[in-house]
Amino acid sequence: MKAAAFRSVGGPEVMEVMSFPDPQAGPGQVRVRVKTAGVQHYDCGLRSGWTPQGVAIQHPQIPGNEFAGIIDQVGEGVTGFHVGSEVLGFALLNCYAEYVVVGADQIVSKPGSMTWEEAGGLTGNGQGAYIAMKAIGVGPGDTVLIHGAAGSLGAFAVQLAKEWGAATIIGTASESNHDYLRSLGAVPISYGEGLVERVRALAPNGVDAAFDTAGAEAVRASVELVQDRNRICTFVAYELTEELGLRVIRSQRSAARLAELVDLHSKGKLRIHIRQTFPLEMAADAHRLIETRHGRGKIVLTID
């Protein structure tokens, strides 16, 4: 099979298309012919030399941790899926490839109303936003601050906060993305100097919870604005969590949670904006684009 992988750590230029043996589904597993694979900062971190706890990197390594495609092989003991089932799912690695093998508990059915691009880009950031919003207790009546709200992770967080009853959702973004945030139900606000004062002007009664997808400056601003530090979460500036007395919250994905997100999409309550798609052969360009940390929505690889 063809896959985009890296033989050594480095910049986006180390990504190249290589040939690998076709994986085979074992007991309890399915093999999926991948049609789309989402691109995440997690993938870029692995390529750059970061090794998450409990993850074994073997060069050449295929990155990618979310995908959508069609099952073409079913292992012994699998029920509920068959050859030809259209699915989306997750894995820690190996999704930038023509085939991926995963446990049957790592996939859900793709509804016909969801495009392949949307399906390939839902799993990672969708579940990450879900976990973050639940961890900081977002619920009815809350005023919530979301940093980097126009990106894929932030946009999911805005929509979930709205679905779960938040009264006011303030989202930071560049001015070119303010109309987009309004369309999602957020009050947009610009980054940069004076952020704390601008947020206080919008929320004179205070901010109940904050989620950061932007970095250190955003986390420090959140600490000034949110009284209860247990209601602040960052998925970027982990190096500040101990210094500022914040909890470390990491994504733990599940098929049940993914199915809930798919249901919200089917009901028209969760939009997935696709910023740009790239063919597998241009995985390096996809990494370059996501590493700019600018722009709205999701970047997805398409695999022919």
Side-chain angles (χ1 to χ4, degrees), residues 160-206:
L160 290 172
K162 179 182 178 182
E163 172 65 16
W164 296 339
T168 303
I169 305 160
I170 301 170
T172 70
S174 59
E175 193 164 343
S176 61
N177 286 318
H178 284 193
D179 284 344
Y180 172 59
L181 290 190
R182 290 187 187 98
S183 76
L184 297 180
V187 179
I189 194 169
S190 297
Y191 296 110
E193 186 176 350
L195 174 62
V196 170
E197 289 71 25
R198 290 194 296 278
V199 172
R200 284 178 174 153
L202 287 173
N205 294 324

Side-chain angles (χ1 to χ4, degrees), residues 133 136 138-139 141-146 157 161 166-171 187 206-211 231:
M133 294 291 98
I136 59 178
V138 172
D142 278 341
T143 295
V144 183
L145 173 62
I146 298 172
T168 303
I169 305 160
I170 301 170
V187 179
V207 175
D208 298 299
F211 176 40
R231 302 196 70 187

Side-chain angles (χ1 to χ4, degrees), residues 197-226:
E197 289 71 25
R198 290 194 296 278
V199 172
R200 284 178 174 153
L202 287 173
N205 294 324
V207 175
D208 298 299
F211 176 40
D212 162 52
T213 76
E217 181 182 343
V219 176
R220 294 190 186 280
S222 298
V223 168
E224 290 190 54
L225 291 160
V226 179

